[in-house]
Amino acid sequence: MDDELGGKTFVLATDLDGTFLGGSAEDRRTLYDWIEENRDSIGLIFVTGRDPGFIADLCKDGVPWPDYVVGDVGTTIARMRDGMQSPMPELEAEIAAAWDDAGERVRDALRDAPGLTLQSTDFRYRVSYDLDAATFERDAIDRIDALGLDHLISDNRYFDVLPPGISKGPSLKRLVAHLGVPPDRVLAAGDTLNDLSMIECGLPAVVVGGAEQALVDRVAPLRHVHIAEARGAGGIMEAIRVLDLHPALWSDTP
């Protein structure tokens, strides 16, 4: 067990774009200040497709630093120390084994796939593309299936190729278990289909206002999920109140 979140009574595990970084400037400032003022009882995990450089720049510009990062759509699990991500080999071993150095095989298989443009970021256990919905063909999915890998389409604009069985949800649950945090004290927050596995994995969860409708439709029947009216940061605060996850929010915010 890792004890760096030991004693925390609440952990926010949140997507970034449209979720933690979404909503009004006032709501973002209220949420960020509330987290910083209650760091003794609140843990913060970013669950994102963003790269380490983006996160570092973001936090230097006034966003709270996370304690941990589940990055690259679940293919990275890392501590955040001194402004740097430190991957956790004990949690990433299963991810690396499932990927089996598949990057070049994926790029070869999709080299001429219509509607897909390879992204320049060099992920360790993932290959990502921009997707043009007008020209995309299902044959690309068949090619990935033939390699024994998983695919993820989000916001009808992005196509990720991932190790089988690896995504945001399973990686977040692995980290939560490793940290020894009670699952019922963790709030998972997201807004697009690439957050689906995190929202439906059984942890208390919120889909923030303005989310991708396909995500809302998929998770609406789930009793552990709050569908928020407020957008972004406001939706996160709404869920903390509704799900009774941290009483300090009542006294510290209007």
Side-chain angles (χ1 to χ4, degrees):
M1 178 192 299
D2 192 312
D3 64 358
E4 289 187 27
L5 292 187
K8 307 289 186 182
T9 58
F10 169 64
V11 175
L12 173 61
T14 180
D15 172 59
L16 291 177
D17 298 281
T19 307
F20 198 64
L21 303 181
S24 69
E26 180 181 1
D27 282 345
R28 292 196 303 274
R29 191 72 270 151
T30 298
L31 177 62
Y32 300 169
D33 288 348
W34 176 75
I35 289 171
E36 295 291 20
E37 290 164 6
N38 292 278
R39 279 289 194 170
D40 59 331
S41 61
I42 295 174
L44 182 61
I45 302 172
F46 286 169
V47 189
T48 178
R50 289 292 195 170
D51 61 84
F54 176 89
I55 294 172
D57 290 343
L58 190 70
C59 294
K60 291 173 184 175
D61 199 32
V63 172
W65 285 95
D67 300 292
Y68 292 86
V69 173
V70 175
D72 303 334
V73 198
T75 60
T76 290
I77 305 176
R79 297 178 181 87
M80 183 64 80
R81 287 177 173 168
D82 300 322
M84 300 290 291
Q85 285 188 32
S86 176
M88 303 172 70
E90 65 274 34
L91 298 184
E92 291 192 345
E94 181 178 335
I95 298 170
W99 184 241
D100 193 26
D101 293 323
E104 195 58 39
R105 298 196 300 276
V106 171
R107 288 185 284 271
D108 286 344
L110 298 180
R111 198 173 303 280
D112 61 348
L116 293 181
T117 302
L118 182 66
Q119 294 181 4
S120 59
T121 305
D122 186 20
F123 299 110
R124 294 177 301 151
Y125 309 125
R126 156 194 174 197
V127 179
S128 296
Y129 296 82
D130 294 319
L131 183 149
D132 178 4
T135 58
F136 176 76
E137 297 180 1
R138 182 175 175 82
D139 176 64
I141 296 174
D142 296 335
R143 298 183 197 184
I144 295 307
D145 288 346
L147 292 176
L149 300 170
D150 288 348
H151 78 281
L152 176 64
I153 296 175
S154 58
D155 205 19
N156 214 27
R157 296 189 298 156
Y158 305 111
F159 186 93
D160 289 302
V161 182
L162 305 169
I166 303 299
S167 59
K168 287 185 175 183
S171 293
L172 175 59
K173 289 193 75 174
R174 187 178 295 117
L175 176 59
V176 167
H178 179 77
L179 297 174
V181 177
D184 63 353
R185 304 311 299 171
V186 179
L187 177 67
D191 75 311
T192 71
L193 272 179
N194 79 5
D195 301 315
L196 175 63
S197 66
M198 172 174 64
I199 299 299
E200 67 181 5
C201 74
L203 300 171
V206 57
V207 174
V208 298
E212 187 177 355
Q213 189 59 45
L215 175 66
V216 175
D217 293 343
R218 287 285 296 270
V219 305
L222 301 178
R223 296 184 64 182
H224 69 276
V225 178
H226 175 69
I227 308 297
E229 294 184 8
R231 292 175 175 263
I236 292 173
M237 290 189 289
E238 177 184 321
I240 294 169
R241 292 189 178 98
V242 169
L243 300 176
D244 194 18
L245 290 169
H246 197 295
L249 189 58
W250 276 255
S251 59
D252 291 357
T253 62

